[in-house]
Amino acid sequence: VAFVVCRSLEGLKTFSYLEELILDNNLLGNDLLLPRLPHLHTLTLNKNQISFQRNTCEILLDHLAEVVPSLQYLSLLGNMACPNELVCKEKDEDDYQRYRYFVLHKLSNLKFLDTRKVTKREREEALVRGAFMKVAKPKDAKVGDDAASTSPVMHYTPLPSGSRDLTNHRGM
C-alpha cells in the first residue's frame, strides 16, 4: 500500500472497475470531480477541504450520486462539511444528525456514513426532511453575540483577589 498526495484525479478514469477509493488528507475541496466509477462502493474523503459553503457541497453530493451509483460507504470525517463538536464548539450532535439526514437524502444507497451504520429510522427521516437539513449559518451571524451583549464577561479564578498580584506574595 502506497500513500501519495493526489495532485490530479484524471487517471482514475482508466480504473472503471475500481471498488474502493481512499482519498484522505489530499486538500480536495467541493470542486472534486470523479470520473464515472460504476463499481465503486467505498469512498473515503476524510481530512480534506469539503465544506457547506454556497451549496457547493450539495453540488458535490449530486455529482457523487451520478458518477458512483453503487456507493454504499462514504466517510467525510475531518471536513468542515461534517460537523464535529469535539473540534468546533459551535457544533453539536444535532448538527451532525442534520448533516447525516442531508447526505442520506442525496445519497440514498449509503449503508454507512462516516463511522456509523445508516439506520432504518435515519433513512426514513432523510426521505421526509433530508432536503431541509443543510447545516449552514447566515454569513453575518456570530454565535453568542446576543449572550455577550447582555451579560458581562466573567473571568473565573480560584485564587482570592489578594493573591492575584505576582509582586505581592507571602511564604509559609
Side-chain angles (χ1 to χ4, degrees):
V1 175
F3 296 99
V4 179
V5 175
C6 291
R7 303 246 187 267
S8 168
L9 300 176
E10 190 175 315
L12 284 177
K13 61 186 168 196
T14 60
F15 297 97
S16 61
Y17 287 96
L18 190 65
E19 295 181 357
E20 296 181 23
L21 182 58
I22 299 171
L23 294 171
D24 298 350
N25 298 304
N26 279 295
L27 303 175
L28 300 171
N30 296 350
D31 57 348
L32 169 69
L33 291 176
L34 291 176
R36 182 156 176 77
L37 299 168
H39 302 282
L40 191 76
H41 58 74
T42 301
L43 177 62
T44 67
L45 294 165
N46 299 317
K47 295 184 180 178
N48 280 288
Q49 295 180 344
I50 298 168
S51 68
F52 268 119
Q53 293 178 331
R54 290 172 252 132
N55 297 329
T56 54
C57 188
E58 184 173 6
I59 294 167
L60 173 61
L61 294 174
D62 289 339
H63 171 69
L64 292 177
E66 181 183 332
V67 299
V68 288
S70 300
L71 193 62
Q72 295 178 14
Y73 177 89
L74 175 66
S75 186
L76 296 171
L77 294 171
N79 288 287
M80 290 301 294
C82 179
N84 182 341
E85 62 189 305
L86 297 175
V87 176
C88 183
K89 66 182 178 180
E90 290 94 25
K91 304 295 182 188
D92 61 18
E93 184 61 31
D94 291 337
D95 290 323
Y96 180 71
Q97 192 59 60
R98 282 190 292 274
Y99 147 84
R100 284 181 65 86
Y101 292 145
F102 184 71
V103 173
L104 293 171
H105 167 71
K106 291 294 187 178
L107 301 169
S108 58
N109 292 334
L110 289 182
K111 292 183 180 178
F112 284 86
L113 177 57
D114 302 326
T115 60
R116 293 188 348 211
K117 185 175 182 177
V118 175
T119 66
K120 181 180 177 184
R121 183 187 162 284
E122 280 182 314
R123 196 171 304 287
E124 290 168 355
E125 192 73 18
L127 283 171
V128 175
R129 300 182 200 182
F132 309 106
M133 297 288 179
K134 291 182 196 175
V135 179
K137 292 189 174 24
K139 289 180 185 178
D140 295 335
K142 291 183 182 175
V143 175
D145 275 356
D146 294 336
S149 64
T150 58
S151 63
V153 177
M154 300 291 284
H155 295 288
Y156 173 77
T157 177
L159 299 174
S161 59
S163 302
R164 290 184 211 143
D165 183 7
L166 295 177
T167 60
N168 180 16
H169 62 290
R170 286 181 252 156
M172 298 273 221

